[in-house]
Amino acid sequence: EPLLNYDATVASLRILMDGEGFGVSPRKLTLSTVGILPALEKLMLEPVRPNLAISLHASNKALRRELMPIEEKYAIEDVIAAAQRYPIPSGGVVTYEYVLLGGVNDTMAHARQLALLLRGSRAKVNLIPLNPAPEIPFLPPTPAAVEAFSRVLTGYDVMVSVRRPRGQDILAACGQLHLKRAAAPAPVAS
């Protein structure tokens, strides 16, 4: 979570965006956060800001609390309200990351709840179907569920993109890299 390491994150952003550093346009950088509100409010006052992505992964308090314990401290409605006040570079939109978990957060009711939370705001939802792996206790959504979820959001005039998985076959897709660990070498007998 970058906003839990605010000073280092902002120092890095300044270097990345500075013309004498890397010179990356703020429109080409995105900071992804679960919504640590005091730090997000502070970031809004910085002279140079990147785009903003908020990890939601749920459409209501109860489910978000189950999936993301940070909900206990920073409520989904407060996070969205703060994100909507965030001054996006060049009048862009806030991206909301939503990992679809089969049978957990991918129903039409969840899609409608999310659409109602975001309708009329500067928002884009990035739907990310879960990349399965034996160590992950969730299942991916069906392609039909992904399509239906997306249709509900667009029906409420919420912009949507669907991340297409790549690298699943070698456990290199989003969310899978931490699972592949190298085995420790066996001790050498002397």
Side-chain angles (χ1 to χ4, degrees):
E1 170 55 52
L3 292 183
L4 288 177
N5 193 3
Y6 185 85
D7 292 336
T9 295
V10 170
S12 298
L13 289 170
R14 288 181 184 141
I15 292 167
L16 288 168
M17 291 187 266
D18 190 282
E20 300 202 12
F22 287 90
V24 178
S25 166
R27 290 183 323 230
K28 300 221 183 245
L29 281 176
T30 300
L31 180 110
S32 182
T33 177
V34 296
I36 307 300
L37 292 180
L40 184 56
E41 296 286 348
K42 193 173 170 183
L43 184 64
M44 289 184 209
L45 303 175
E46 291 289 336
V48 181
R49 291 168 307 279
N51 287 306
L52 182 65
I54 300 290
S55 297
L56 282 185
H57 312 310
S59 57
N60 62 64
K61 287 176 180 261
L63 181 57
R64 191 165 193 253
R65 193 175 298 114
E66 281 181 44
L67 298 174
M68 300 175 66
I70 196 72
E71 175 66 24
E72 290 287 336
K73 194 163 187 178
Y74 305 114
I76 190 170
E77 293 87 358
D78 296 337
V79 171
I80 291 170
Q84 291 307 305
R85 290 191 311 276
Y86 183 85
I88 296 289
S90 299
V93 297
V94 175
T95 299
Y96 293 92
E97 307 286 350
Y98 195 99
V99 174
L100 289 164
L101 307 170
V104 175
N105 67 352
D106 65 341
T107 69
M108 297 309 92
H110 294 124
R112 281 188 293 280
Q113 287 174 342
L114 183 61
L116 291 173
L117 279 173
L118 300 177
R119 186 166 89 181
S121 63
R122 301 173 303 129
K124 173 186 163 193
V125 175
N126 186 12
L127 293 177
I128 307 164
L130 175 72
N131 290 308
E135 296 89 350
I136 296 175
F138 299 105
L139 297 172
T142 64
V146 174
E147 177 60 32
F149 200 100
S150 177
R151 267 196 322 271
V152 169
L153 293 176
T154 57
Y156 281 86
D157 294 324
V158 175
M159 281 193 294
V160 180
S161 64
V162 177
R163 186 176 300 172
R164 300 296 174 203
R166 288 184 230 145
Q168 284 183 346
D169 55 330
I170 58 170
L171 292 180
C174 181
Q176 292 181 320
L177 290 176
H178 77 283
L179 300 173
K180 191 152 181 143
R181 304 202 193 303
V188 177
S190 39

